[in-house]
Amino acid sequence: MRLSKLQKFILEKCHNFKASLPVEFYDFYSSVRGGKKRAKSKKIIQDIIHKSLDSLVAGDLLTAIGKKTAKKWFIHKVKLTNIGKKLAINIIKSRQRKLPIK
């Protein structure tokens, strides 16, 4: 499964904590953009994060805790599955810089 930058960010955040709230992932857009301030409304950011969480749940990388109505999921917490933990560790390891041996 190919993951976007947001999905990798979500997996890393969930690896650091036992259970995470979807609100904790909103700071992805402020950290990725750097100094640039892009005006995205909170509703658009919420929809993007919700779709990313849905795809991670469908890929069996996360479990979602919340309410499900006939049309929509209302996610309150997310947790990593065993497959998600292994993938999160691989993502963290790949980001660590390897020092050259002299």
Side-chain angles (χ1 to χ4, degrees):
M1 180 176 180
R2 193 169 181 194
L3 299 174
S4 67
K5 290 181 181 179
L6 174 61
Q7 290 172 336
K8 289 179 183 179
F9 179 79
I10 290 170
L11 288 175
E12 285 180 21
K13 280 274 196 179
C14 289
H15 184 264
N16 294 334
F17 303 106
K18 189 173 182 179
S20 299
L21 302 172
V23 178
E24 295 173 2
F25 308 129
Y26 288 169
D27 63 345
F28 169 76
Y29 286 98
S30 63
S31 65
V32 168
R33 303 285 183 217
K36 297 179 183 177
K37 295 268 182 171
R38 229 179 191 185
K40 280 196 176 185
S41 69
K42 189 174 181 180
K43 174 74 172 145
I44 294 171
I45 292 172
Q46 183 179 5
D47 289 342
I48 293 169
I49 290 173
H50 188 59
K51 288 177 186 176
S52 291
L53 289 174
D54 283 340
S55 66
L56 288 172
V57 168
D60 291 332
L61 300 174
L62 289 177
T63 56
I65 300 168
K67 295 179 183 178
K68 184 175 183 180
T69 63
K71 296 182 180 180
K72 191 176 177 182
W73 260 101
F74 293 99
I75 298 174
H76 298 299
K77 285 186 182 179
V78 290
K79 291 183 181 180
L80 281 176
T81 61
N82 288 335
I83 300 169
K85 287 178 187 176
K86 291 177 185 176
L87 188 60
I89 289 170
N90 287 339
I91 290 169
I92 292 169
K93 281 183 181 179
S94 68
R95 286 201 175 164
Q96 288 182 345
R97 186 173 181 186
K98 296 187 177 168
L99 297 174
I101 299 174
K102 291 184 178 181

